[in-house]
Amino acid sequence: MGNCWSGIQDYLDERKTKAIRYPELKEIVRPFILSLATYKKVRDTLISEMEKGLSVANSKNSCLKMLVTYVQSLPDGTETGTYIALDLGGTNFRVLSVTLQGTQHSTNQRIYPISEAFMTGPGPQMFDFLALCIASFVDEHRLQSDRGYPIPIGFTFSFPCHQEGLAVGRLITWTKGFSCPGVEGQNVVQMLQEAIDRRGDLKAEVVALINDTVGCLMSCAFTEPTTCCGVIFGTGTNACYIEDLKNVEMWDGDRTGPNQVIINTEWGAFGDNGSLNFIRTAADKEIDESSLNPGRQKFEKMIGGMFMGEIARIAMVKGIEKKLLFRGFLSSEFNTRNRFYTKYLSEIEQDPAGEYNNTKHVLEEMGIPEISIDDLKYVRYIAQVVSERAAYLAAAGISALLNKMDRPTATVAVDGSLYRYHPSFSNLLKTMVLELTKEGQLVRMQLSEDGSGKGAAIVAAVASRMRKIKIKV
């Protein structure tokens, strides 16, 4: 597009230059300020990695897994009936019933806490507990009365899986405090179905296994048929998009159905093979080296909500060491890794122009007793630069998906706490997407509604519809 970048850049440069007096502080943040040409290079590099990931011959050379989800069809407005959605991704298990009628839906849900005994006990015992929760929910809402067929279930399972079919996914490894023996390497859909069948009082069938990005896309597609991407910007980040089947060389499914499939990019790993070294800063390297998974998820560590606060803290500590901030006073809070939370960036950026009440409060929480007006300006400047880089890199990612699909009209389904709650992230993201997508392409961002719940039910509904017309999803 290229029409408004120069104006945006002039505005940003003016805003930042007015706030900064010391050249040394500018040097600290300079590595985070990238040119439009650099963001275009990031976009094109991601497209290259995607294409390698889809190729049988080159997939091992790509940092992207480009996982086939086996979801081929989007909702078309004819889906009707009641479906169950399951959301397992932490210490709570969410069960929902979603009733669809055209573009309308209604939802009921209940959350069941999972005790440590189930999280760490034998695998079959944990799945028996999940089946008990489902049966209790079905009975409470009388979902089985007068139904001559099993209730279709869509299962959002937020753990690393190798998917072999729409309803076949083998757990690679437990995370998030789970360690149930006898599950890793097994088909989790089969284990849940067996637990349901063991009860004898519940007629339900797990017809789809999805992750949250697919749910994000499908939830939005329920009301907006031009939806073609699902993107999460929260604690971490990931994205999925619709790919032409002819480009998916590892496809092993039915070729008589739709000529497309949703691909889960797992783009948090973008750069793990060194392809992003041209923009990685000393702060990025420090965060990676001190993380629980060094060398992995490098893109996520540059834009994820879990890491943005730490990036800002590292930059501020450099300013403190040079005596450019707080007269060189390094509080124990600022000297503690991960103590400067990403929520502080949001609070700082919520301050109106020329006012610093939130910024002052944040610095007081960080143990700074004496705060000058220059301190407030510099801290806000660093917060803005870190937030802008994250949003612009996120935009480069979305633009890569859009340019690869090359659709004249595209809706991007977006979710995640960073996108929802950071005061400037979404607007910065939208602005840069316009700069990095193809001329004339009409792009719309839409906040997705409950992808892991409603989205899972919609996948189950589409799978049931396609099964009825004997086309494998």
Side-chain angles (χ1 to χ4, degrees):
M1 293 273 199
N3 295 326
C4 54
W5 170 256
S6 58
I8 296 166
Q9 196 65 55
D10 289 345
Y11 163 71
L12 295 177
D13 290 345
E14 179 184 10
R15 178 177 65 172
K16 293 166 185 171
T17 301
K18 282 183 177 179
I20 297 302
R21 184 172 61 190
Y22 297 126
E24 296 96 328
L25 197 57
K26 288 184 182 179
E27 288 303 313
I28 290 172
V29 299
R30 191 179 301 279
F32 299 102
I33 302 173
L34 307 177
S35 67
L36 180 59
T38 301
Y39 286 114
K40 287 181 177 178
K41 184 177 179 181
V42 172
R43 175 201 64 195
D44 295 343
T45 302
L46 179 55
I47 292 174
S48 175
E49 292 296 326
M50 291 168 65
E51 290 174 344
K52 285 192 292 184
L54 292 171
S55 164
V56 171
N58 296 316
S59 61
K60 291 184 179 179
N61 298 321
S62 174
C63 53
L64 303 181
K65 291 188 174 72
M66 302 298 285
L67 302 174
V68 175
T69 68
Y70 296 89
V71 177
Q72 292 183 262
S73 299
L74 300 187
D76 66 1
T78 66
E79 291 81 14
T80 60
T82 298
Y83 303 85
I84 290 179
L86 311 177
D87 181 11
L88 179 66
T91 56
N92 290 320
F93 177 52
R94 191 162 60 117
V95 183
L96 306 89
S97 66
V98 180
T99 300
L100 306 177
Q101 184 66 52
T103 58
Q104 303 299 313
H105 78 282
S106 59
T107 302
N108 290 303
Q109 72 168 22
R110 174 155 296 207
I111 295 174
Y112 299 88
I114 304 176
S115 70
E116 185 177 351
F118 287 123
M119 292 172 65
T120 59
Q125 175 181 291
M126 196 270 288
F127 283 101
D128 282 339
F129 171 72
L130 300 185
L132 171 64
C133 296
I134 299 167
S136 173
F137 182 86
V138 167
D139 182 62
E140 177 185 353
H141 294 279
R142 300 183 178 181
L143 299 179
Q144 239 170 210
S145 58
D146 301 323
R147 185 186 288 265
Y149 57 91
I151 307 171
I153 293 177
F155 187 15
T156 300
F157 186 73
S158 299
F159 299 90
C161 277
H162 175 65
Q163 200 151 352
E164 300 172 2
L166 184 57
V168 181
R170 299 187 183 279
L171 177 67
I172 296 172
T173 182
W174 282 118
T175 57
K176 306 174 185 178
F178 282 75
S179 59
C180 302
V183 183
E184 292 180 357
Q186 301 301 309
N187 178 6
V188 295
V189 172
Q190 181 181 344
M191 293 190 75
L192 177 58
Q193 189 65 57
E194 289 173 350
I196 290 172
D197 295 343
R198 274 195 297 271
R199 294 189 57 82
D201 62 349
L202 179 60
K203 288 180 65 176
E205 180 184 3
V206 186
V207 298
L209 180 73
I210 70 167
N211 76 351
D212 53 358
T213 57
V214 174
C216 174
L217 188 159
M218 294 292 278
S219 178
C220 188
F222 182 63
T223 54
E224 179 46 67
T226 63
T227 304
C228 54
C229 308
V231 189
I232 306 291
F233 297 116
T235 303
T237 184
N238 192 17
C240 69
Y241 74 104
I242 300 173
E243 181 60 86
D244 290 339
L245 209 57
K246 67 179 186 293
N247 297 329
V248 186
E249 294 184 7
M250 73 282 288
W251 175 255
D252 57 359
D254 190 350
R255 291 192 177 272
T256 63
N259 294 317
Q260 62 182 25
V261 66
I262 296 176
I263 296 292
N264 170 20
T265 65
E266 291 292 338
W267 78 7
F270 180 31
D272 287 4
N273 60 354
S275 56
L276 282 181
N277 286 352
F278 65 98
I279 61 167
R280 294 185 72 224
T281 67
D284 296 319
K285 294 172 184 175
E286 180 178 335
I287 286 173
D288 179 47
E289 290 167 1
S290 63
S291 69
L292 296 174
N293 56 344
R296 298 171 57 193
Q297 299 296 103
K298 290 182 180 179
F299 188 56
E300 181 170 85
K301 290 170 184 172
M302 299 171 82
I303 68 174
M306 180 180 287
F307 307 100
M308 286 170 58
E310 178 65 3
I311 293 172
R313 185 195 72 86
I314 291 171
M316 291 177 198
V317 167
K318 287 186 177 179
I320 295 170
E321 291 171 346
K322 292 179 179 292
K323 296 187 169 27
L324 304 175
L325 283 173
F326 321 134
R327 299 178 183 177
F329 173 70
L330 180 64
S331 66
S332 61
E333 288 85 353
F334 263 109
N335 200 35
T336 301
R337 198 182 303 278
N338 298 315
R339 176 60 180 81
F340 192 90
Y341 309 127
T342 297
K343 72 171 185 175
Y344 289 159
L345 298 181
S346 295
E347 292 172 10
I348 288 168
E349 293 222 48
Q350 284 171 349
D351 271 332
E355 297 181 21
Y356 300 94
N357 292 334
N358 289 345
T359 307
K360 187 172 185 294
H361 178 70
V362 166
L363 293 180
E364 288 171 347
E365 284 196 13
M366 290 298 294
I368 303 301
E370 296 182 21
I371 305 167
S372 71
I373 187 65
D374 278 349
D375 289 334
L376 295 170
K377 289 179 179 179
Y378 300 162
V379 166
R380 184 166 179 172
Y381 169 60
I382 291 170
Q384 288 170 340
V385 169
V386 170
S387 296
E388 285 162 8
R389 186 188 72 149
Y392 291 162
L393 286 173
I398 289 176
S399 301
L401 304 181
L402 294 171
N403 286 9
K404 188 174 190 314
M405 288 183 290
D406 197 17
R407 299 186 175 200
T409 302
T411 297
V412 180
V414 192
D415 202 357
S417 55
L418 186 60
Y419 184 83
R420 284 178 176 267
Y421 303 122
H422 190 288
S424 65
F425 187 90
S426 62
N427 286 333
L428 291 167
L429 174 72
K430 293 171 187 175
T431 298
M432 184 57 87
V433 166
L434 292 177
E435 289 293 327
L436 296 176
T437 47
K438 294 181 179 179
E439 190 75 35
Q441 194 172 25
L442 181 61
V443 178
R444 179 180 171 216
M445 302 284 173
Q446 182 165 316
L447 188 63
S448 186
E449 177 190 349
D450 191 15
S452 58
K454 173 186 166 187
I458 291 169
V459 174
V462 173
S464 299
R465 170 172 63 81
M466 300 303 287
R467 181 182 291 183
K468 287 177 184 177
I469 59 176
K470 298 183 179 180
I471 296 179
K472 183 180 179 182
V473 178

